[in-house]
Amino acid sequence: MHDLETRPCSLAAQIEALVARHVKETEALEDSHLDSCIDEAAIQVQRHTLSPFLPTAAEDLASIFNILRLGPRHIMVDLGCGDGRPLIAAALLCKCRGVGVDISQQCIALAKSIVSQEGLSDRMVAFFRWDLLSDQEAVLNRLVEAVEAKAQEAAIECKDGVEAVVVFLYVYPTLLARLVCLLDRLVRAWRDFRRVEVVTLTYHLEAPVGGGEGEGVLYRECGGRVE
């Protein structure tokens, strides 16, 4: 398990500045998610929601980027991406390509808006509103295609191609358990890449997926385990 230690403050400070530029929209999104928890009209969506909107702290992101040594030869996949800040920060500061998925239309709309405001394009980071729980076969195929597209784009700029696919999860443990089957198949599908890294923040998998660690598959638990 990796204890989160602050990376040189410049990186954390840059992420804080990114968050600060969009704080009003993010706070509105948090309020909306809280309201939806008691809104009868939102019950059906809530049944398929992986987790409440949990913004990742800038210090945690800086530490994770440092642990992973993110760079242009990485593709980061965020399952339950919320406002997209991990992927957007990784794209801006590490030149890392990303794919984010969330069931919330509000989250995806905000993430795409921030991408546009920050001068990024969907060639660097793309966000999709997909339900990770209802049709995992379709989501599996879409994610594999999306990452392959990013790998092809990376190959144009990086002669050595993609070094690693990073799967990032910051979701509640009871809901994380519902993703085990999908994660297992994703890791197996991406074993053709040099390395696959599954990164969990605060809440962690009970056991490795995708055939276990080894042969280019790594698991990184960041932050303390919370029961």
Side-chain angles (χ1 to χ4, degrees):
M1 181 181 295
H2 297 270
D3 293 325
L4 293 180
E5 299 178 357
T6 305
R7 194 182 177 177
C9 62
S10 59
L11 179 55
Q14 289 178 78
I15 298 173
E16 286 280 15
L18 169 64
V19 172
R21 288 197 292 273
H22 308 283
V23 66
K24 290 184 178 180
E25 302 101 306
T26 299
E27 288 179 348
L29 180 61
E30 289 186 75
D31 291 342
S32 175
H33 266 237
L34 287 173
D35 291 342
S36 71
C37 291
I38 56 174
D39 183 356
E40 288 294 327
I43 289 178
Q44 187 61 37
V45 172
Q46 289 297 317
R47 287 176 183 158
H48 293 274
T49 299
L50 293 176
S51 175
F53 175 47
L54 300 172
T56 310
E59 294 82 0
D60 289 349
L61 284 180
S63 295
I64 290 169
F65 292 176
N66 186 39
I67 290 168
L68 296 174
R69 300 184 182 276
L70 282 184
R73 295 179 61 202
H74 289 78
I75 298 172
M76 189 171 182
V77 179
D78 189 349
L79 303 180
C81 64
D83 65 357
R85 70 179 64 182
L87 298 183
I88 294 169
L92 285 171
L93 304 176
C94 306
K95 308 304 180 186
C96 168
R97 285 172 168 77
V99 176
V101 180
D102 205 288
I103 192 175
S104 168
Q105 181 61 50
Q106 290 174 298
C107 285
I108 295 301
L110 177 55
K112 289 183 175 181
S113 174
I114 295 174
V115 165
S116 177
Q117 292 176 56
E118 292 297 328
L120 294 169
S121 73
D122 59 8
R123 288 179 61 83
M124 278 300 295
V125 57
F127 292 99
F128 303 95
R129 186 193 180 198
W130 294 337
D131 184 346
L132 294 170
L133 300 179
S134 67
D135 189 351
Q136 293 195 348
E137 185 69 30
V139 170
L140 172 73
N141 293 332
R142 291 169 184 166
L143 276 168
V144 169
E145 290 175 1
V147 168
E148 181 58 34
K150 288 286 174 285
Q152 291 176 6
E153 292 161 4
I156 296 173
E157 298 179 14
C158 304
K159 64 178 181 179
D160 294 325
V162 173
E163 177 182 344
V165 174
V166 176
V167 184
F168 177 69
L169 298 114
Y170 180 27
V171 297
Y172 279 4
T174 52
L175 299 167
L176 181 60
R178 298 170 68 185
L179 285 177
V180 167
C181 289
L182 177 62
L183 281 171
D184 181 81
R185 296 184 66 188
L186 285 171
V187 171
R188 292 177 189 275
W190 290 329
R191 276 182 176 268
D192 287 342
F193 289 100
R194 290 183 176 87
R195 191 169 71 254
V196 180
E197 302 196 35
V198 179
V199 181
T200 52
L201 176 61
T202 304
Y203 311 105
H204 309 300
L205 294 165
E206 291 299 320
V209 295
E213 196 164 42
E215 296 185 2
V217 180
L218 299 174
Y219 292 84
R220 300 181 186 272
E221 296 183 348
C222 297
R225 180 179 290 277
V226 176
E227 303 295 343

